Amino acid sequence: MANKGGVVVAKQEMTKMWIGDKFVAVTLAKVLPQEIIRYKTQEKDGYSAVVVGVEKKELNKEKGQKLVYGMVTEFPVDEAFVSANEAGKILDASLLEGVSSLAVTGMTKGKGYQGLVKRCNVKGGPATHGHKFSRAGGSKGNRKPRRTMKGHPHAGHMGSEQLTLKRIPLLNIVEKDGVKFLIVKGSLPGARNGKLKCFVE
């Protein structure tokens, strides 16, 4: 992955659009207002990155309340990005002009406690002739050792995990009412209005 920075977007909805002679599923993502807070350097922090503040909020200074952001995150960058973008600059979709694909990182939807059939895609047991365990996991392992072997599928918590998708085609960037939207091919992790980090590949 190239160190060319990125932007934070909010997932909106899925729809379909014509690409050539194919009707393709796409996702709309709204580019959120964000700015560069500062840089992390190789000498001081051990790596180079840009710290980005999303959705700045001006609080009451008379009450001692300071400036806060709805989200603070960072992107790895190279020297060319640092020299072209100084601290305090507003980041927008212009950073993605000429980019054909993105890497997207976000949190998947939480699905709570789920069984083996849904969580691990096991086949399950027979569903006829009075069988009472059609969605059970079956055998848990050998007779010895008297424990479940590491890596064996089990029921448990599903979702709410960080997921990164690479080489997601960026089809277009559109603007409506002063807000820019990314149109990417396929689906993206997370729920509606969930924040995603889009890295420039």
Side-chain angles (χ1 to χ4, degrees), residues 24 28 31 33 62 79 85 118 120 122 132 136 143 151 169 181 189:
V24 180
L28 300 179
V31 179
E62 296 180 357
E79 292 298 329
N85 303 279
K118 184 172 183 179
C120 305
V122 301
K132 299 180 181 178
R143 187 170 183 180
F181 294 85

Side-chain angles (χ1 to χ4, degrees), residues 15-50:
T15 183
K16 286 187 175 184
M17 64 180 295
W18 287 100
I19 302 178
D21 58 347
K22 294 183 179 180
F23 205 36
V24 180
V26 298
T27 303
L28 300 179
K30 181 173 66 174
V31 179
L32 298 174
Q34 53 203 287
E35 65 179 20
I36 298 176
I37 300 177
R38 63 185 179 90
Y39 283 98
K40 292 189 175 182
T41 61
Q42 189 72 33
E43 296 77 14
K44 184 177 181 181
D45 303 288
Y47 64 99
S48 298
V50 57

Side-chain angles (χ1 to χ4, degrees), residues 6 9 18 26 35 44 58-59 84 111 119 123 154 165 190 193:
V9 300
W18 287 100
V26 298
E35 65 179 20
K44 184 177 181 181
E58 297 281 355
L59 300 181
K111 296 178 174 61
R119 186 170 185 249
K123 180 180 178 181
H154 272 110
L165 302 178
N193 292 323

Side-chain angles (χ1 to χ4, degrees), residues 98-110:
V99 176
S100 59
S101 65
L102 300 170
V104 181
T105 298
M107 297 296 292
T108 61
K109 289 183 179 180

